[in-house]
Every structure is written in C-alpha cells, then in structure tokens.
C-alpha cells in the first residue's frame, strides 16, 4: 500500500487539481465551480485551500473526486457529465499512475452564453 506524506499529498492534490481544471476546459460547454457547503466543510477540516474539486483517498489510496460544474444552456447534461468523468479518470490514471475509484460530478447550475 502506498503511504503518502503530507508534503507528497499536497503536491499530489495540486497536480490533480491542475489535471481536473484542464479536463474541464477541454470538454467545452461546462465550467467548474468552487464546491458549496460540502467542499467548504472539507477544506476547513483538512486545513486545505478551497479548490474546484474535493479529492479524497480511500484506505487503498484510490482517488475519489467530487467536482461541481455549471453546464451551458442547450447542452446534453448526462452526456457532458459522462464525458467529463471518463476524461478525468483517464487523464489522472495515465499521468499519475493512481487508480481513480470515483468521479462524482454535481451539476450546480446552467449558464447562458
């Protein structure tokens, strides 16, 4: 089992946040939002800066990601969510070698271009 130290976890989280942001930008028709209550609560508990995604590790060091987005009006929400989940999972696993267990996408709003 891979044990991450605090500095390694901070660096890993920064890398993961960057990969997630790039994935959101690549999809188009969506924007990431800072997490609402859940993300703020998690940030306070972990004494971490507020990021666009909440990243957690399970007992086996698999990654669980919660991301909050807005979708552009007139887009197919289920299709965009599935596309984002697949891209985030693929990119993180290829770049880091970690296993992504879950990518939970919360659609928090609609925006008009």
């Amino acid at each position: 089992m891979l044990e991450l130290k605090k500095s390694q976890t901070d660096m890993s989280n920064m890398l993961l946040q960057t990969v997630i942001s790039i994935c959101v930008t690549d999809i188009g028709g969506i924007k990431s939002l800072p997490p609402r209550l859940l993300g703020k609560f998690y940030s306070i508990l972990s004494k971490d800066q507020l990021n666009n995604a909440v990243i957690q590790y399970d007992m086996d060091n698999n990654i669980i990601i919660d991301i909050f987005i807005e979708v552009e009006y007139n887009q197919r929400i289920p299709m965009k969510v599935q596309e984002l989940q697949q891209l985030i999972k693929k990119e993180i696993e290829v770049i880091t070698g970690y296993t992504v267990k879950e990518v939970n996408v919360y659609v928090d709003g609609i925006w008009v271009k």
Side-chain angles (χ1 to χ4, degrees):
M1 178 162 81
L2 177 67
E3 298 272 338
L4 295 176
K5 296 178 182 166
K6 177 69 174 149
S7 61
Q8 289 174 314
T9 302
D10 290 344
M11 186 62 79
S12 294
N13 283 344
M14 198 163 62
L15 171 64
L16 295 175
Q17 291 289 345
T18 302
V19 171
I20 292 166
S21 293
I22 291 168
C23 289
V24 168
T25 303
D26 285 352
I27 296 290
I30 60 174
K31 295 181 193 177
S32 63
L33 297 171
R36 303 282 181 188
L37 184 60
L38 171 68
K40 290 177 185 175
F41 181 69
Y42 175 77
S43 293
I44 290 168
L45 285 180
S46 67
K47 297 178 182 164
D48 194 12
Q49 65 184 21
L50 187 61
N51 292 305
N52 286 339
V54 177
I55 299 167
Q56 301 172 55
Y57 300 87
D58 69 8
M59 296 301 285
D60 297 322
N61 282 321
N62 296 318
I63 300 172
I64 301 167
I65 299 168
D66 294 323
I67 183 167
F68 302 80
I69 65 168
E70 279 186 328
V71 179
E72 184 180 358
Y73 177 75
N74 215 12
Q75 297 287 322
R76 293 183 178 174
I77 294 173
M79 189 177 83
K80 288 292 179 181
V81 167
Q82 184 179 24
E83 188 179 354
L84 180 61
Q85 287 173 317
Q86 291 172 350
L87 184 60
I88 289 173
K89 179 177 173 37
K90 181 184 125 219
E91 292 298 322
I92 288 176
E93 288 180 346
V94 166
I95 291 170
T96 67
Y98 294 152
T99 299
V100 177
K101 183 177 179 181
E102 297 175 25
V103 178
N104 302 307
V105 178
Y106 300 93
V107 178
D108 214 14
I110 305 291
W111 57 277
V112 180
K113 202 172 199 182

